[in-house]
Amino acid sequence: MRSLFARAALIAGLAGMNMPVAVAGTIVPDAIGYTYNLDETDDAKICEIILDMQNPATPELVEFTAFAGYDKSNESVAIGFITMAAHQPLSGELQLLDLSAATFTSPTFRSVNDMDYEVHKDGGIMAATLDRVAASNFLQAFIGGDFELTLATAGPQSTNFFYKIYTAPPAEVQNGFARCLEDLLRPSLSLLHGAEDLTAL
């Protein structure tokens, strides 16, 4: 699903949104995987940890990407996530869902309280913050590997899907992201309160 994302949108302007009310049961994905990625263009540099989830319920495929994006034009760092979901019918061709909302929730962080949102035309959702305290809290909650993700579909039959994650990113993925994040933040103070915390991710 990775190619479905428009990476340039990570430094786009942000807007608010509302959550639908219909609810489905909690889903524990059958299979999850984490990968680290670094993208750089003339305008931005983006560090990512990509969480791919597969499950037998709807939607069958979900990609959740935690990112740190450095905007070279104004030297700002935005921290947040972008997520998309899709059906994969027997034909094997992915059918993207039109999402209207996505919420990351852990015991220490809730994205709807501390992040700004943007709904993408391709059906994806982005949430981000420029606030360093909120960014640090989000990254630590995500790296901890104990959180819930709520996705809401758009339209008259709006439904919320709840995903429970119990697995943290592997050490090599965390370390790659930590090194990239440290490079983004130089010479600023670390979001994670010092280089020792970055290397310990």
Side-chain angles (χ1 to χ4, degrees):
M1 289 181 64
R2 205 180 129 56
S3 62
L4 301 174
F5 285 83
R7 299 302 178 184
L10 292 177
I11 307 299
L14 303 172
M17 67 182 186
N18 297 316
M19 293 287 290
V21 295
V23 175
T26 300
I27 299 167
V28 178
D30 278 2
I32 67 172
Y34 288 98
T35 54
Y36 161 70
N37 185 64
L38 166 64
D39 277 347
E40 186 166 9
T41 67
D42 291 340
D43 302 317
K45 182 176 181 180
I46 301 168
C47 315
E48 302 170 323
I49 295 180
I50 303 152
L51 168 59
D52 289 303
M53 297 180 274
Q54 298 183 24
N55 51 272
T58 301
E60 292 92 347
L61 299 173
V62 176
E63 184 175 284
F64 180 89
T65 301
F67 70 84
Y70 176 72
D71 187 337
K72 296 179 181 179
S73 66
N74 59 21
E75 299 184 342
S76 65
V77 177
I79 306 293
F81 66 83
I82 185 169
T83 189
M84 295 184 77
H87 297 295
Q88 189 171 28
L90 294 179
S91 66
E93 183 177 347
L94 291 176
Q95 298 176 357
L96 288 177
L97 288 179
D98 186 12
L99 299 179
S100 60
T103 303
F104 175 97
T105 305
S106 78
T108 58
F109 185 83
R110 184 171 168 81
S111 61
V112 294
N113 296 335
D114 293 306
M115 288 182 167
D116 296 315
Y117 277 83
E118 180 180 275
V119 181
H120 289 176
K121 293 180 180 179
D122 58 9
I125 298 287
M126 184 179 75
T129 181
L130 297 174
D131 180 83
R132 293 204 165 196
V133 173
S136 175
N137 291 340
F138 165 66
L139 289 179
Q140 292 185 45
F142 176 72
I143 291 296
D146 181 10
F147 58 87
E148 295 181 359
L149 177 64
T150 303
L151 302 181
T153 57
Q157 301 297 322
S158 297
T159 304
N160 286 359
F161 297 96
F162 297 88
Y163 296 85
K164 179 61 182 177
I165 304 300
Y166 296 102
T167 305
E172 62 270 21
V173 170
Q174 295 187 33
N175 291 338
F177 184 84
R179 288 190 295 269
C180 183
L181 179 60
E182 189 174 15
D183 287 342
L184 290 190
L185 296 172
R186 289 174 180 166
S188 304
L189 293 174
S190 167
L191 282 169
L192 298 178
H193 314 302
E196 68 276 6
D197 290 329
L198 284 167
T199 56
L201 281 176

